[in-house]
Amino acid sequence: MNPEQFKLFRRITLDYFAKLAPREEPVMGEPHMHFGDPELLDYTSLIEIDGEYQGCIYLSSPITMLKDVLMINGELRDTPDRLKDMCQEFSNVLSGNASKAFGGNWRISVPRTLTRPEVQALDLPESTFVMPINWRDNQSLLVVGLRAAQESA
Amino acid sequence: MSPRSVLPQSVYRRTDAPLPEGLRLKALEWALYFAVTGRHGAAELGRQMRAEASESDEALTRLMTLGLIEEQELDASEYVHALAAAGSREERTLREFLMAAAQPAADPVEAKEGSEARRAQQETVADSATTRQAVQTLPGVSPRPGPREVADITLHVPGATPRPRRTAPPAFGFKPLPSPNDDNKESLPMSVPRRLSLRALMNLIESQADSREAGQLDIYRVFVRIDTTLLKRNGIVTLRFTEDRLVSDPELEQALVLSLKKTLGLNCPENVWVEVA
C-alpha cells in the first residue's frame, strides 16, 4: 500500500459522502492508530485485502448516519434490514474504491456488511489506522487494518 | 605470636570475625583489608596500593595477627596462577608488556625486574641453582633446562657457548585489578533515566517521507510490527500522530527500534530519547 494509493482511496471515499449532500461536505478528522480490539460502531462494511500485507479495510458507521443516508435516498423506514441494506451500499462503494485505488497489487474480497457482534467475532488485525469521517453531526470510521507479512504467515 | 612470612603469591581473604570495636588501622592496612577477597596475591595487592613490598608485607602480617584476614589455601593450578601474577612490581602498559615479552635476552625491561620479581621466583631460582650444581657434577645427565635456567647458565658459566635466551611466556593473573585511576561505581554520577519519545520517533519517520500522509502510513507500518500486547501493557491503545508518549519499557523500546530498522531501514538516533528528571 503506497501513499498515493492510500490517498486516492481516502479521497474517493470522502467524495462519496460529498455527493450525498453537496452542501454538507464531509470533514476528515484527525487520524490515529488503534491497538487491540477494533474500534467499531453499529454497522460495518468490510473488505479483506491481501498483498504486501494481509488485512482489511472497513467503514464503521452509527445508526444515525445510516438513517441520514436513507433519508437522503427517500427511504423513511429505518428498520434493521433497511439499515443493513444501506450499509451494504457503503460496502459496495468501499469495495469499488479499494479496487480503483489499490489496483492489481492487492486481492480484494467480496464486501461484507456486518453488525458489531458479527465483526467482533472475526479475527481482525489488532493494529489499525483509523480515519474519522465527520458528516452531518455524525462520525464514521474508515479503518485500515494490516498485519505484517511474517505475522500473517 | 610468631611473625608470619608473606610470599608474593600468597592469597588472602577476610575472616568471618567481626571488626573489633574501636579498631584502628593504618590506611594501607584498611586498604588491604578491604582489598583481600581471596582472588589476588599479596604482590598484586601491594602493586595496586603502590606500596613497597616491605610495607604491604608488614600490613598483611598485622592484619593476620589481628585475625582479620587469613591465608587462603590454593590448589596447584591456583598457586601457579598466583605465582605468575606475583610478577614484577614495575607498572607497564600493555604495549610495554607485549614488547618485553617479544624482546630477546638483553631486554632492558627484563633487566629492570627488581628484587621483588626475583623474590617471586626465589624458590624456582634457588631450586634451579641447586639443579645447576647437580647438573655440573653429574656427568652424562643433561636435564632440559627451563627458560630461567638457560639464562643463568649463559651468565654464570665462563666459556659456555652463548645461546639465545628464551623469554618466559607472559604471566597472567587471576583477574586484572582495575587501574588505581579508574573510577569506581560509587564515584560515578547517577545515570539520568531516558525514555523513548514516540512523538520524536514519529517526527523522524515523517521527516523522511514525501508527504504527511506518506509519513503517517510509514508510522503505521512501523507500529504494525509491534506486538499490541506490548503496546497495551504500556497504556498505548490509541495513538494520534501528533501526541507524545514516553516509553520506559525496554522491551517496547527495542521492538520499536527493530521495527523502524526492519520496516524503513532507519536507525534510531539519540535525539529520539529524552532525559527524564
Side-chain angles (χ1 to χ4, degrees):
Chain A
M1 187 178 288
N2 68 46
E4 293 310 313
Q5 291 174 324
F6 182 70
K7 278 163 74 176
L8 176 62
F9 173 73
R10 199 176 61 173
R11 187 173 59 75
I12 56 183
T13 304
L14 277 177
D15 284 351
Y16 171 77
F17 286 97
K19 283 174 192 164
L20 285 174
R23 291 180 187 173
E24 295 169 286
E25 292 245 329
V27 177
M28 186 64 82
E30 187 182 355
H32 61 267
M33 292 180 287
H34 184 82
F35 308 102
D37 295 332
E39 281 189 86
L40 295 171
L41 299 171
D42 301 318
Y43 286 88
T44 297
S45 311
L46 181 140
I47 54 169
E48 289 170 73
I49 56 173
D50 192 2
E52 181 190 354
Y53 292 86
Q54 188 193 59
C56 65
I57 296 174
Y58 61 84
L59 180 69
S60 198
S61 307
I63 288 174
T64 49
M65 179 179 272
L66 293 171
K67 281 182 178 176
D68 271 1
V69 181
L70 279 172
M71 279 182 65
I72 287 170
N73 286 313
E75 178 57 71
L76 300 178
R77 289 172 297 174
D78 53 10
T79 61
D81 281 351
R82 293 287 174 193
L83 291 170
K84 206 160 183 178
D85 283 348
M86 194 63 251
C87 189
Q88 184 61 41
E89 165 76 9
F90 280 2
S91 300
N92 294 335
V93 170
L94 195 69
S95 176
N97 290 351
S99 299
K100 189 174 176 182
F102 303 126
N105 297 338
W106 294 79
R107 288 183 295 279
I108 296 165
S109 76
V110 173
R112 299 160 77 183
T113 300
L114 304 159
T115 60
R116 191 199 295 245
E118 287 170 337
V119 182
Q120 284 168 335
L122 299 177
D123 177 27
L124 295 181
E126 291 201 341
S127 299
T128 51
F129 188 112
V130 183
M131 295 160 279
I133 297 174
N134 300 309
W135 181 70
R136 297 185 86 176
D137 298 329
N138 297 304
Q139 186 178 74
S140 283
L141 301 173
L142 180 61
V143 180
V144 176
L146 302 176
R147 288 189 176 97
Q150 73 272 22
E151 290 163 350
S152 61
Chain B
M1 192 175 281
S2 62
R4 303 178 201 200
S5 60
V6 176
L7 295 176
Q9 63 268 35
S10 295
V11 176
Y12 297 92
R13 66 177 177 216
R14 287 189 290 275
T15 61
D16 293 331
L19 288 173
E21 234 180 285
L23 174 70
R24 296 183 72 83
L25 298 173
K26 292 177 185 169
L28 178 61
E29 290 165 347
W30 277 121
L32 287 168
Y33 173 76
F34 287 113
V36 295
T37 55
R39 290 194 302 156
H40 305 289
E44 276 187 286
L45 294 173
R47 282 200 299 273
Q48 173 71 7
M49 307 299 166
R50 297 176 185 274
E52 289 297 323
S54 58
E55 291 172 337
S56 64
D57 290 357
E58 188 183 328
L60 287 167
T61 303
R62 183 163 181 233
L63 291 171
M64 273 193 292
T65 306
L66 291 169
L68 300 175
I69 64 169
E70 61 191 0
E71 187 171 359
Q72 177 154 308
E73 293 184 349
L74 308 172
D75 64 23
S77 167
E78 289 169 338
Y79 174 77
V80 170
H81 277 87
L83 183 63
S88 167
R89 279 182 176 260
E90 287 286 330
E91 284 197 358
R92 300 182 207 166
T93 63
L94 176 63
R95 183 168 172 274
E96 288 168 342
F97 179 84
L98 294 173
M99 283 178 68
Q103 290 286 343
D107 182 356
V109 175
E110 188 165 329
K112 272 168 54 183
E113 284 186 340
S115 60
E116 205 49 44
R118 293 194 192 286
R119 202 175 126 209
Q121 303 288 342
Q122 61 190 358
E123 286 183 3
T124 311
V125 172
D127 289 345
S128 63
T130 311
T131 309
R132 277 200 308 277
Q133 294 250 325
V135 168
Q136 284 168 358
T137 53
L138 289 174
V141 177
S142 54
R144 188 175 174 178
R148 291 277 177 195
E149 293 161 15
V150 171
D152 287 343
I153 288 168
T154 55
L155 285 172
H156 301 298
V157 180
T161 310
R163 295 172 60 189
R165 191 174 162 193
R166 293 167 59 197
T167 307
F172 297 98
F174 284 170
K175 288 180 183 175
L177 287 167
S179 152
N181 297 326
D182 282 352
D183 289 330
N184 58 31
K185 283 181 183 172
E186 286 76 13
S187 68
L188 288 172
M190 286 181 68
S191 59
V192 181
R194 298 193 320 163
R195 305 263 167 95
L196 190 147
S197 160
L198 291 185
R199 181 77 205 110
L201 181 72
M202 292 191 286
N203 278 343
L204 168 78
I205 297 169
E206 274 194 18
S207 70
Q208 305 288 319
D210 295 334
S211 65
R212 185 175 171 77
E213 291 81 6
Q216 290 177 347
L217 194 57
D218 282 345
I219 292 167
Y220 172 58
R221 286 169 59 211
V222 168
F223 276 83
V224 160
R225 289 183 187 272
I226 308 297
D227 183 353
T228 53
T229 314
L230 205 52
L231 292 161
K232 286 189 284 183
R233 188 170 84 190
N234 286 273
I236 302 167
V237 176
T238 296
L239 183 66
R240 292 191 299 274
F241 295 98
T242 49
E243 80 180 296
D244 196 9
R245 302 280 180 91
L246 299 179
V247 175
S248 59
D249 183 343
E251 202 180 339
L252 178 55
E253 275 188 21
Q254 191 184 14
L256 285 165
V257 170
L258 278 175
S259 179
L260 182 67
K261 182 73 181 173
K262 222 169 179 177
T263 310
L264 303 174
L266 293 175
N267 291 316
C268 238
E270 276 297 305
N271 61 13
V272 166
W273 278 271
V274 294
E275 291 183 352
V276 182

